[in-house]
Amino acid sequence: MTQHKRLLTRVVILLGFLTFLWGSPQVFAAETYQIGTDLTFPPFEFQNEDNEYIGIDIDILHAIAKDQGFEVELRPLGFDSSIQGVQSGQLDGMIAGMSITEERKANFDFSEPYFDSGIQMAVAKDDTEITSYEELAGKTVAAKVGTESATFLQDNQEKYGYSIKTYDAADALYNALTSNKVQAIFDDFPVLGYAINNGQPLKLIGEPEKGNSYGFAVKKGTNQKLLEAFNAGLAKLKDSGKYQEIIDTYITTAAPTASSENTFIGLLKNNWPILLKGLGKTIGLAVLSFALATIVGIIFGLFSVSPIKALRVITGAYVDIIRGIPMMVLAFFIFFGFPFNIPDFTAGVITLTLNASAYIAELVRGGINAVPKGQMEASRSLGLSHSRTMQKIILPQAVKIMIPSFVNQFVITLKDTTIISVIGVAELLQTGRIIVARTSQSTYTYLIIALIYLIVITTLTRIARKLEKKVA
């Protein structure tokens, strides 16, 4: 009887322990969520000098994830691409300074607001003419596309008589102002304050306009567990004082960019590791996609000169469709258009492969057609088959003709990798944008990137010329 009691006691204890484990989210492997963000929107999200993701949004998200027992994998796709990623199901949610509006509520479920926004006007630091909205008549003002600032400008355009320009990124917005392409810009007041604190020659005009609140967003009707966890964690952050501590870190006491990054040498010295990483991804994208494109392009190129009409028709349709779609649209379709998740790098490789293969197919067709037709006719009259003639006579000559064009196409593919940044691949240009967002040093940063491309492409071109001489 005693043994039975002991056994029963152990079973009860075991069941109690298992029940505790089952009810404790901290014990089992934490669920990981894919969260989209925009890493060029300081002080809400950006990378610091150590290439760590920081900012108001990022710190709040990580603090909530830690408190609620889940993991996050940040996907720095940019604001517009993050919206598409959530809507297509590629992302579980997004946090990117996203204003809560009635229009967006039709497609998204939002958390409780975590920041009350407000937009403000800024002009060049030495501008003494514009002191209020009334002085904007006849002038050009600007904001970032798709933002609350852009909406504010559209709503008040008739009232104040200005014209509007929109830009995709903050650095383009600031450069437009400092180069006098526009006379005033509008953005969220913390963003402008951060830019001024980091050396942008701007000054704020007037008081901030009351704006919408920012919220964490998920696709409407989905990921309610994640949304509830965010709300619960946000409430705890505010109660503990951690929330205000995060806000003060980036708005009240945010330090300006290190003076060592205000020079060309200092910027290069502080950022060369991340620039090399971006360059490596650029070259990886170009080499892998071009190798695949060469295989696909040669196959379709041979189809285009095949005596079989069906193969020629298929090739013509493939080339026309791929070349007729802008590559940025193609990248968006491949990354967001499928019901399953495609990694950004893989989507970039597929996009570049499809685009380059269509042009390579035409290069192959043109190279083969450049060989005098009489050689094909002479070979066939001697009894050689079509395939044998192509293999032994036509293609060797065509290859020599095509080599310069192939080299040129590789250079084009290398440059085209910059377009892939729209789906969040941190290649060289996207890396530069991230650096600019933190340092506000757009001129030096893009000069460094231009020099890197110049060195790489010039080197490749010279190697190709030597190869061309050997083959000729």
Side-chain angles (χ1 to χ4, degrees):
M1 191 69 178
T2 305
Q3 283 185 330
H4 289 303
K5 287 184 177 180
R6 288 177 180 173
L7 180 60
L8 182 60
T9 302
R10 290 174 182 175
V11 170
V12 171
I13 292 173
L14 179 60
L15 288 174
F17 181 67
L18 290 174
T19 302
F20 168 76
L21 289 179
W22 183 261
S24 176
Q26 305 289 344
V27 175
F28 293 102
E31 189 167 0
T32 300
Y33 294 103
Q34 303 283 321
I35 306 299
T37 190
D38 181 359
L39 291 184
T40 58
F41 190 55
F44 291 95
E45 50 263 344
F46 61 103
Q47 280 186 312
N48 62 14
E49 294 180 15
D50 298 321
N51 303 319
E52 298 170 332
Y53 299 156
I54 62 171
I56 295 172
D57 289 358
I58 306 302
D59 287 7
I60 287 176
L61 179 63
H62 282 312
I64 290 174
K66 183 178 180 181
D67 177 77
Q68 295 295 305
F70 63 85
E71 300 287 340
V72 296
E73 182 177 336
L74 288 175
R75 301 285 298 279
L77 303 179
F79 186 83
D80 291 339
S81 295
S82 292
I83 287 178
Q84 295 179 53
V86 173
Q87 290 179 321
S88 66
Q90 298 274 11
L91 301 174
D92 298 307
M94 67 174 288
I95 184 166
M98 188 174 183
S99 299
I100 303 173
T101 65
E102 292 302 319
E103 293 81 5
R104 287 174 177 162
K105 285 181 179 179
N107 298 304
F108 298 93
D109 288 330
F110 285 94
S111 68
E112 293 297 322
Y114 66 84
F115 187 83
D116 292 326
S117 176
I119 60 175
Q120 195 164 8
M121 178 169 68
V123 299
K125 191 174 183 179
D126 57 357
D127 190 321
T128 59
E129 181 180 352
I130 300 175
T131 59
S132 66
Y133 296 157
E134 282 70 21
E135 279 85 27
L136 295 177
K139 294 181 171 56
T140 303
V141 299
K144 285 180 288 188
V145 63
T147 61
E148 189 178 1
S149 297
T151 302
F152 175 84
L153 291 180
Q154 292 168 359
D155 292 343
N156 291 277
Q157 183 174 15
E158 186 175 344
K159 179 179 180 180
Y160 294 112
Y162 48 72
S163 57
I164 304 171
K165 284 188 176 182
T166 54
Y167 296 90
D168 289 332
D171 59 294
L173 193 67
Y174 304 146
N175 288 339
L177 181 62
T178 55
S179 62
N180 203 35
K181 291 182 175 62
V182 301
Q183 285 71 56
I185 61 174
F186 284 73
D187 207 342
D188 292 357
F189 70 87
V191 178
L192 291 173
Y194 182 91
I196 292 172
N197 206 32
N198 281 271
Q200 283 291 344
L202 316 173
K203 64 179 178 181
L204 300 176
I205 302 295
E207 295 297 320
E209 298 283 343
K210 181 175 175 54
N212 293 315
S213 298
Y214 290 167
F216 176 81
V218 300
K219 185 178 180 180
K220 195 168 188 65
T222 66
N223 287 310
Q224 296 304 302
K225 179 182 176 183
L226 172 60
L227 199 61
E228 291 171 4
F230 187 94
N231 285 332
L234 180 62
K236 286 187 178 181
L237 282 187
K238 290 183 175 181
D239 290 341
S240 67
K242 177 67 175 177
Y243 170 84
Q244 193 59 47
E245 181 182 325
I246 292 173
I247 297 297
D248 291 344
T249 297
Y250 293 100
I251 293 183
T252 307
T253 60
T257 301
S259 59
S260 60
E261 290 193 312
N262 292 333
T263 64
F264 179 89
I265 299 299
L267 193 68
L268 181 60
K269 182 179 179 181
N270 283 4
N271 295 283
W272 69 265
I274 189 176
L275 287 169
L276 285 182
K277 185 177 179 180
L279 176 61
K281 189 160 287 189
T282 290
I283 293 175
L285 274 170
V287 171
L288 181 56
S289 59
F290 189 76
L292 295 173
T294 299
I295 297 171
V296 176
I298 288 175
I299 292 172
F300 278 108
L302 293 175
F303 283 178
S304 68
V305 295
S306 171
I308 303 173
K309 183 178 180 180
L311 295 179
R312 298 198 303 271
V313 171
I314 291 172
T315 299
Y318 175 81
V319 171
D320 288 344
I321 291 172
I322 298 300
R323 295 205 307 180
I325 300 175
M327 195 162 68
M328 186 179 294
V329 176
L330 186 62
F332 277 129
F333 175 76
I334 291 171
F335 189 59
F336 297 115
F338 292 96
F340 48 87
N341 191 3
I342 301 177
D344 50 16
F345 186 87
T346 302
V349 170
I350 295 172
T351 301
L352 290 168
T353 297
L354 291 174
N355 185 73
S357 66
Y359 289 93
I360 290 174
E362 288 295 277
L363 295 179
V364 172
R365 183 184 65 81
I368 292 173
N369 288 337
V371 178
K373 294 183 179 180
Q375 296 193 28
M376 172 65 77
E377 295 171 356
S379 299
R380 297 303 301 274
S381 66
L382 292 174
L384 292 176
S385 65
H386 180 274
S387 60
R388 194 69 173 171
T389 302
M390 290 290 293
Q391 179 183 355
K392 294 294 184 181
I393 298 174
I394 305 299
L395 287 179
Q397 298 178 73
V399 167
K400 293 181 180 180
I401 297 171
M402 291 186 290
I403 283 179
S405 297
F406 265 74
V407 173
N408 184 56
Q409 184 59 47
F410 178 74
V411 171
I412 291 173
T413 301
L414 184 66
K415 292 179 179 179
D416 283 345
T417 57
T418 58
I419 298 176
I420 304 304
S421 64
V422 299
I423 58 173
V425 179
E427 43 68 65
L428 187 56
L429 179 61
Q430 180 74 342
T431 299
R433 287 172 176 163
I434 292 171
I435 294 172
V436 170
R438 185 187 78 248
T439 65
S440 298
Q441 298 294 328
S442 58
T443 302
Y444 289 149
T445 302
Y446 291 132
L447 176 59
I448 291 170
I449 290 173
L451 290 174
I452 291 173
Y453 272 114
L454 179 63
I455 292 170
V456 171
I457 291 173
T458 301
T459 302
L460 289 173
T461 303
R462 290 185 176 179
I463 293 173
R465 285 175 181 172
K466 291 183 180 180
L467 178 63
E468 182 182 346
K469 290 180 181 179
K470 289 183 179 181
V471 175

